[in-house]
Amino acid sequence: MLRRLPYGANYLRWEEMPELRGAIEDKSLFRYISTGESVSSRLEQLVQERLGATRALAVHNGTEALRLALMGTRPRAGDPVHIPAVTFVAVAGAVLSCGLVPVPVDVDERCALDSTLLPADAQRVIVAHMEGMVGPLPQGVPYLIEDSAQAMGGRHADGRHAGTVGYAGTFSFHHAKVLTSGEGGLVVVRDPDDWELLRSYHDHGSDREHGKYPVWREGAFYGENFCANEAVAAVQLQQFRHLDDILASLERHHRMLSAELPDRPDLRQVARTDGDVKVSVRIELESRELRDRALTELTDRGLPCWTLDKYFLPEHPVVRGRASVYADGFPWNLDDGSERYRPRSRDGFRTTRQLLGRTLCLPLAPELDATGQAQAAKEVAATLAAL
């Protein structure tokens, strides 16, 4: 069972995209070209209602969503931003592209940022809900950003949706995410004034009315062009109609595979919470050698699996090498070597490095019916049992 398409891509249907047809027939692919309500606006309203967010803003991709959220904090060049030591490199890239310096913070066994390692005066912190595992949030951080790119539909213990608790939350519609439009992103914020600032920055620093040329008020700051595309927003609307189905099917497959895992002393399943998005079953094996053997055996049988080693940022070339497209090394050159730029870990990330080397993720397939999921679970479990 080789799943060629991730999650929401399996649910793409032409007949479910009236908004896309309408945008093409109206020849209105730029969100502000017409005087009426745009598809992007309808998407943002749906997100607000579905996730319980105060305000939402559609952008081109998840990295832009992070950049926009960071710029909304009105930072100073070179400010440190604490980020998880285990996450996709786009998080570090978004920080750097804003002229800020990423500071890796070690993680727990679920790969959630360990907030006990943060300095008491941390101002900007990004937490990443890796593989749908909704992690705990640090308290007292003025600008806490929840990177929920892999956790669309997840919930915190108090019932609030992932991405809606901090200063801002970001989401991705990249092809490999729970919902997909190939690319695409969202920012949600709690404060309407913050949304107004982000909306202005994402459209060249302007004010904007539908169907009109943008207006710049006196004292307007510069911005960038992050405005969403109407065709992409239409696909995202279609995807949202399947979110509950996808989440429920992932839950079912997760239960099946969890029940089938072999009872071995050298294999442990990493626990998930009720609020997690069950995109995979994550297991920890006794050694890297056993993990690599499992990886090879599953791959040879066409059973999908992956590791998390590539997400270890302290050893990623972008972070380790500290190179820059700027001739003077900006913004890395603003790191003055003081305590506030020091990576935060109890043991130099040794425990995390070892943990990642023993970890294997078994992705789940929401597009399969119950029979197909049960068969897939048995095949994976039998392969692991035979190691």
Side-chain angles (χ1 to χ4, degrees), residues 266-279:
D266 53 3
L267 183 155
R268 182 183 74 89
Q269 181 177 353
V270 180
R272 284 185 175 268
T273 68
D274 291 341
D276 289 347
V277 181
K278 311 300 196 300
V279 298

Side-chain angles (χ1 to χ4, degrees), residues 218-237:
E218 191 66 28
F221 49 79
Y222 69 87
E224 302 179 65
N225 179 11
F226 290 166
C227 294
N229 178 289
E230 290 287 87
V232 174
V235 176
Q236 292 164 2
L237 271 173

Side-chain angles (χ1 to χ4, degrees), residues 257 261 279-283 298 304-305 360-364 380 384:
L257 181 50
L261 286 177
V279 298
S280 72
V281 168
R282 187 185 296 177
I283 59 174
L298 289 165
C305 56
L360 188 63
C361 300
L362 310 170
L364 304 172
V380 170
L384 295 174

Side-chain angles (χ1 to χ4, degrees), residues 62-67 70 79-105 113 124-128 130 145 147 170 310-324 326 330-332:
T63 307
E64 280 187 0
L66 284 169
R67 278 180 42 76
L70 286 166
D79 277 346
V81 180
H82 293 88
I83 66 173
V86 179
T87 188
F88 184 52
V89 71
V91 176
V95 173
L96 290 162
S97 67
C98 291
L100 309 175
V101 179
V103 179
V105 179
L113 181 142
R124 294 170 180 83
V125 176
I126 299 175
V127 298
M130 289 292 292
I145 299 172
D147 177 5
T170 63
K310 58 185 174 291
Y311 296 120
F312 187 49
L313 291 188
E315 293 182 357
H316 193 286
V318 168
V319 177
R320 185 186 69 242
R322 293 197 153 202
S324 172
Y326 287 91
F330 177 82
W332 290 115

Side-chain angles (χ1 to χ4, degrees), residues 128-205:
H129 302 309
M130 289 292 292
E131 284 203 307
M133 288 190 170
V134 181
L137 302 179
Q139 302 299 309
V141 176
Y143 297 111
L144 173 64
I145 299 172
E146 291 186 72
D147 177 5
S148 303
Q150 299 180 9
M152 177 68 78
R155 291 181 181 270
H156 291 280
D158 62 6
R160 288 182 290 179
H161 276 275
T164 67
V165 178
Y167 146 76
T170 63
F171 298 87
S172 172
F173 288 95
H174 180 267
H175 185 68
K177 301 305 186 288
V178 176
L179 303 181
T180 183
S181 51
E183 284 287 4
L186 285 165
V187 184
V188 300
V189 292
R190 291 185 299 172
D191 190 326
D193 291 338
D194 290 335
W195 182 87
E196 289 290 350
L197 189 152
L198 299 184
R199 194 224 55 77
S200 179
Y201 189 90
H202 108 299
D203 190 19
H204 305 288

